[in-house]
Amino acid sequence: MAAEHPTVFTPVTFSKYSKRVLLKTVLDCSDGGLGFVDQKLVIGGWVKSSKEVFREAAVPADASVRTACDALPPRAKDVSCIEILQSRIPIVRSLLRMLYGNDLHAGEKLETSVHKPPPPLPSTTFLVVNDGSCVASLQVAVESSLHHPGQLMPTGTCILVEGILKRAPAPGKHLVRLEVEKILHVGKVEQEKYPLTQKKLLIDLLRKFSYFRPRTTTVATVMRVHNALTFATHTFFQNHGFLYVQLPTITTTDSEGFSEKFHVTTRAGNSEVKKIESTEDKETDGVNLETVKAAAIEKKNIVKELERSESNREALAAAVQDLKKTNELALQLEARGKQKSKLKKDKVHVSENFFPQETYLTVSGQLHLETYACALGNVYSCGPRFRADRIESAKHAAEMWMVEVEIAFAELEDVINCADDLVKFLSKWVLEHCLDDMKFVQKRIDKTSIHRLESTITSSFEKVSYTAAIEILDKATDQKSQCSKRLKFGAALTDDHLSYLADAFFKKPVIVYNYPKETKPFNVRLNDDGKTVAAFDVVLPKGGVVISGSQKEERLDVLLTRMKEMGLPREQYEWYLEIRRHGTVKHSGFSLAFDRFVLFTTGLTDIKDAIPFPRSLGKVSH
């Protein structure tokens, strides 16, 4: 018989700030955790599933007496077990007389003490616990003597326990299990109200419980990939000498010139403003304007009637005078109402709004980032960007995170190369640092996810001009291209058009460049042909447009002409024009739609599943 290999112990690394061992530390090892066997661990997590296994109770010392009683024939309801023993076993009768004398009925008290309800059978509760650090879960064994099984077993229960890690007796799904010695914490669950008790919940139903859904394996996996991509983004730019700049969320400038924006105001909910607004419709000095207008109409009819009859001139003169006074009162009330409305607006504008001018949640930080590129060189930023477009789309949300980049002394080709390198770097990073997560993604979400990332890393991106793209789309016969109408130069390419190029035609990442000037923001550099601008989009298979970028217009006169063509208010962009007047430089940049890149990586179909707390049209519950 071959000798077993000795166990190689792996030193335990505790989480510095919670004094516990992350399951990732144990279960993500190549040996599945066997290197930690026989070591004492403290682990915490949430119960994913459970079962209770009962054991037979040990035979008690008085088992022979109870067996004798149980073996006796059925007895009358008023005959006790002790009485039967007295009649059948003489020695028992003698012992009872020695203890109780002749009062043998005292034996009934003895019977009462002997027949207690049997204690519950001892059991072991096996819990499958996950702490969110990895896909794999740990089996945890808890004896019923340590804690009531019913409080541990419900799905979602949180536990913190201390125990010894052992080899699983019958290795299968779990190579190791933790045999608990001490319960440190139990977070109970109201089982009838907890929404994740069902075995499988559709991912769209989970959106109703955004505060619970990260406890599911699917959402937890997506969030770990999300985290890895965030870290990889910063790593890429820091390694290439970019400086990180935080950009404002509140702005006075529409960075694109034609976007739907969220307005920022402090008026809502203010009691003084509500009071002003409510009094506008109430009576003024005890007289209501609408009532006076109605009275004027009625008196006007009386005057007309008297004029037709010509019977009572005195009454006519009085009626005309009365109508005149009523009209004058109506004019006074109307003028007073207008003045009051103006005072209300002025008061709100000055004292109620936090800022003295219109402000918005930023659609893009690109304009602000340009100012830092023109001083620091290569800069980038990450943050939420907001669009108030009233559309329902699987690839659009009201709040989305963007990675924005700006490079001084760079032209269009330079920034395209940077975007190409970034996409490949992020794809490679995920495969190297989240392989277990990606294997789960491949198994449960998208079978082609790993292959898609590998292909992105190794392929050369196809570059095609806008003009060439519409020629390809115009000839497409595939229904998925949705090109039922002939495309003409100047038409905006939809997400479906661009996805067709990457998914069906080239079947790899595509870069479309040199768009018509009408389809891009005012600050994109005008090409020599006067019709197109130096803009580009990166389109990924099953991901759509994930990057949009351009070379910026550094020529002040051309920029002013573009602003005039688009009807933009010059005063709103005066600060932006200053960097063209003083030390201008050619510069280029792009925006990476971070949440869309998560969709591309994981194969999810709806962007709301890639965002921890999604906000979309009509939906902002938490």
Side-chain angles (χ1 to χ4, degrees), residues 13-23 41-45 131 160-161 184:
T13 303
F14 288 90
S15 175
K16 183 177 179 180
Y17 303 109
S18 65
K19 303 298 185 295
R20 66 186 176 96
V21 177
L22 297 179
L23 295 187
L41 307 178
V42 174
I43 69 101
D131 66 357
L160 182 67
V161 295
L184 303 176

Side-chain angles (χ1 to χ4, degrees), residues 101-118:
N102 292 326
D103 188 9
L104 295 182
H105 293 288
E108 294 178 3
K109 297 178 181 179
L110 178 63
E111 180 193 19
T112 303
S113 63
V114 170
H115 286 280
K116 291 181 179 179

